[in-house]
Amino acid sequence: MRIPFIAGNWKMFKSRIETVVFAREFKELYKDTDVRTAICAPYVHLDTLKAVFEGTQIKVGAQNVHFEDQGAFTGEVSALMLEEIGVDYCIVGHSERRQYFAETDETVNKKLHKLFETSIVPIMCVGEVLEQREAGTEAEVVKKQLHRGLAGIREEQIKKLVIAYEPVWAIGTGLTASPLQAEEMCGIIRNTIDDLYSPEAGDSVIIQYGGSVKPANASEIMNMPQIDGCLVGGASLEPVDFMQIIDF
Ligand code: 13P
C-alpha cells in the first residue's frame, strides 16, 4: 500500500513574514488526512516552518543539498545541516537546477547517496523538455536519468525514495500533461524500478507528478493508479489552494 504524498515546492518565493502568515493559516486549515504532506521551502525558512508545524503531521523539505558533509563550498548547505534542524525531505535534480545551476545526473546521484546516509527522504525529479517530448524520446530520457541518477543506490534505499515526474514543458506554463500522459510516464518509471531492482521495489516507490497541478485538476491526476502524489509549485503558495489539492 503506497501512501499518497503531496508536497509543495515554493521555489524562491516568500519573505519571512509571508512564510509565518502562510504557515499559521495552513496549520489552521490542515486536517489530518491519509495524505502525507510537506512544504519544500527556501533554506532560510525551514526552521520557521518546523517551529510553526511542530506537533502536526505537516513535514518540511529543502529544495537542494550539497553532496559533501562540510568543506570550502561557499554558498552550499550539507545534508547533515538539514538533518540537524529536522528537515524531513529534500528535492534533488529539479529541472530548474538542471537548467540554471549545472545539476547533472552525476551530481543528483552523489546527492542521493549523501541523503541516504541521513534520515532525510529524497524527492528525485526527472522529466523531459519540450523538444524531447516532440521527438518522442521522453521515455528514453527519463529512463537514462533514472539509470544514472540511481547508480549504486541499494534496493532497501529505493523503497524510501520519492520520484517526481515533472515534464519540463508543463512547469509554470499552465500546460499540464494530460492525466493519461502523466500516468503513462509514471508507469514507465515504475517499470524501470522493477527492472533495475525488483517488482517489490517498483511497487513500494512513491511516484509524484508535477507541472501546473491546481485544485481543479488534482483529483483527476491523483486518481490515476500509477500516480501516488503531486509536487506542486505555484499552487502551494496559497494555503487554501494547497489544502484543496491535499483534499483532492
Ligand atoms: P508549477 O506547479 O508551478 O507548474 O511547478 C511545478 C514544479 O516545478 C514543482 O516542483
Side-chain angles (χ1 to χ4, degrees):
M1 254 304 279
R2 299 188 297 268
I3 300 169
F5 175 38
I6 295 182
N9 173 13
W10 278 2
K11 310 190 178 186
M12 198 173 71
F13 287 101
K14 290 201 189 289
S15 67
R16 183 175 170 80
I17 186 72
E18 287 165 346
T19 298
V20 173
V21 169
F22 174 99
R24 290 195 182 142
E25 199 179 326
F26 185 64
K27 189 175 151 177
E28 281 296 306
L29 289 171
Y30 181 80
K31 303 174 276 316
D32 280 349
T33 65
D34 293 338
V35 178
R36 282 194 290 159
T37 305
I39 305 265
C40 301
Y43 289 134
V44 290
H45 300 324
L46 296 175
D47 234 357
T48 305
L49 289 178
K50 282 301 288 184
V52 181
F53 294 152
E54 180 157 13
T56 73
Q57 296 294 319
I58 309 161
K59 306 288 187 194
V60 172
Q63 301 172 7
N64 183 34
V65 67
H66 194 267
F67 49 77
E68 296 288 350
D69 286 338
Q70 58 178 17
F73 301 108
T74 302
E76 293 295 316
V77 171
S78 76
L80 293 175
M81 292 169 188
L82 295 175
E83 187 180 43
E84 195 178 22
I85 61 165
V87 166
D88 306 285
Y89 293 93
C90 183
I91 298 173
V92 175
H94 191 279
S95 61
E96 286 148 18
R97 297 214 58 87
R98 292 179 190 257
Q99 188 178 353
Y100 305 125
F101 303 100
E103 187 88 88
T104 62
D105 292 330
E106 288 65 40
T107 55
V108 166
N109 182 248
K110 286 183 181 177
K111 291 175 182 191
L112 292 178
H113 277 280
K114 187 48 71 179
L115 286 168
F116 279 125
E117 289 176 19
T118 71
S119 57
I120 300 170
V121 174
I123 302 174
M124 176 196 193
C125 297
V126 294
E128 80 284 0
V129 300
L130 186 60
E131 302 82 78
Q132 293 164 332
R133 164 71 56 172
E134 284 173 349
T137 56
E138 64 274 10
E140 193 187 311
V141 167
V142 166
K143 278 187 204 168
K144 201 190 268 177
Q145 288 171 338
L146 289 168
H147 277 259
R148 292 184 177 166
L150 294 175
I153 301 292
R154 297 191 306 275
E155 175 156 355
E156 68 271 21
Q157 296 172 321
I158 284 294
K159 291 181 184 168
K160 265 183 58 185
L161 179 71
V162 177
I163 300 174
Y165 168 61
E166 298 206 320
V168 180
W169 49 271
I171 295 178
T173 57
L175 288 177
T176 325
S178 73
L180 279 176
Q181 281 174 321
E183 168 73 2
E184 187 191 5
M185 287 303 290
C186 291
I188 289 171
I189 291 170
R190 203 176 298 287
N191 288 339
T192 307
I193 300 299
D194 287 351
D195 294 345
L196 283 174
Y197 295 92
S198 67
E200 199 199 344
D203 234 17
S204 46
V205 70
I206 298 290
I207 303 178
Q208 298 176 319
Y209 166 76
S212 300
V213 176
K214 304 273 178 285
N217 58 21
S219 78
E220 211 185 350
I221 293 166
M222 288 300 294
N223 282 323
M224 290 287 154
Q226 297 295 345
I227 302 178
D228 308 313
C230 298
L231 188 54
V232 185
S236 72
L237 294 167
E238 292 300 326
V240 172
D241 288 354
F242 192 47
M243 195 59 225
Q244 281 176 4
I245 292 172
I246 293 162
D247 265 346
F248 68 92

